[in-house]
Amino acid sequence: YRSYSVAVRRPGDAVDQDINLDVTYRGGHVLWMLDNRPIGKARLTLDQGLEKAAAFLKQRGLLNMEAVDVSQHDGVGVYNFVATQNGVRLYPDAVAVQVALDSGRVIGYSAESYLRNHRPRTLPAPALTEAQARQRVSGHVRIEEAGLALITNDAGREVLCYEFLARNGQDRYRIFLNAQTGEEEKVD
């Protein structure tokens, strides 16, 4: 798809403090945006930043989004969201939002994956129960959370999986087992 690249310079700011973004030619959808301003001392918590990020998405019509990863880097909250459909996390429909924790303003946004992939889907019923899939997870990890998720496998096909958030000591894992076959599709 075609897009326009835009650089917005604030009066009096240096060139390296521009706001840069790409906007689709059709529809005017923002693919990504980055505000290169300096970040001050954090005044907001990560949870408060998450509320700002979720409100930002809702204002733009991105509904039924769930945060799946939250981190902080140099005073910036980084929030990764995926769309959900009937309780299933749709990982191909991902969006990332960066919130400056000094002001609560969104300074980064990436929605290319969401714009490329988001659509209503007919999701298959899992052939395995969660309990059956759970038995296939290594006994070396402690499962903290489980649910259904749609991911893109190594062959580029969408696959319904059981997603297990697990821990082994300080290490955290996101394990995806195919909900039809029980085979491991991916481990993050």
Side-chain angles (χ1 to χ4, degrees):
Y1 44 81
R2 296 186 333 182
S3 64
Y4 295 107
S5 292
V6 180
V8 179
R9 181 166 298 148
R10 290 180 280 251
D13 281 351
V15 172
D16 62 346
Q17 294 180 20
D18 289 349
I19 300 172
N20 296 292
L21 58 143
D22 279 359
V23 180
T24 62
Y25 177 77
R26 278 202 178 164
H29 302 286
V30 176
L31 292 165
W32 67 269
M33 181 273 297
L34 184 62
D35 182 346
N36 291 307
R37 74 170 181 81
I39 306 299
K41 184 179 178 199
R43 292 190 202 120
L44 301 175
T45 66
L46 270 176
D47 286 340
Q48 290 169 320
L50 177 59
E51 291 173 13
K52 301 280 186 185
F56 176 84
L57 294 178
K58 189 175 181 181
Q59 289 169 349
R60 278 143 191 82
L62 279 76
L63 307 176
N64 301 318
M65 302 297 290
E66 183 178 335
V68 293
D69 190 42
V70 174
S71 60
Q72 182 175 341
H73 305 282
D74 299 324
V76 176
V78 179
Y79 307 93
N80 293 308
F81 291 84
V82 295
T84 62
Q85 179 180 316
N86 300 326
V88 177
R89 291 177 172 171
L90 306 175
Y91 278 89
D93 303 10
V95 175
V97 180
Q98 295 179 346
V99 176
L101 298 177
D102 60 353
S103 66
R105 289 191 51 207
V106 171
I107 59 165
Y109 173 69
S110 175
E112 187 171 352
S113 180
Y114 180 89
L115 292 170
R116 183 182 315 117
N117 297 307
H118 188 66
R119 66 191 183 282
R121 292 174 172 87
T122 302
L123 299 171
L128 299 173
T129 66
E130 183 182 312
Q132 290 169 324
R134 218 177 247 271
Q135 291 175 349
R136 295 175 179 255
V137 176
S138 169
H140 298 292
V141 298
R142 182 174 40 92
I143 297 173
E144 296 179 337
E145 185 182 325
L148 287 170
L150 187 74
I151 65 167
T152 303
N153 68 10
D154 292 339
R157 290 192 315 253
E158 291 185 347
V159 180
L160 182 67
C161 293
Y162 281 102
E163 174 185 19
F164 296 99
L165 300 180
R167 184 180 294 272
N168 182 1
Q170 295 299 318
D171 296 327
R172 297 192 65 179
Y173 299 92
R174 192 178 303 266
I175 302 165
F176 297 95
L177 298 182
N178 188 305
Q180 308 306 324
T181 66
E183 297 297 315
E184 185 178 282
E185 291 285 345
K186 186 175 174 184
V187 176
D188 290 333

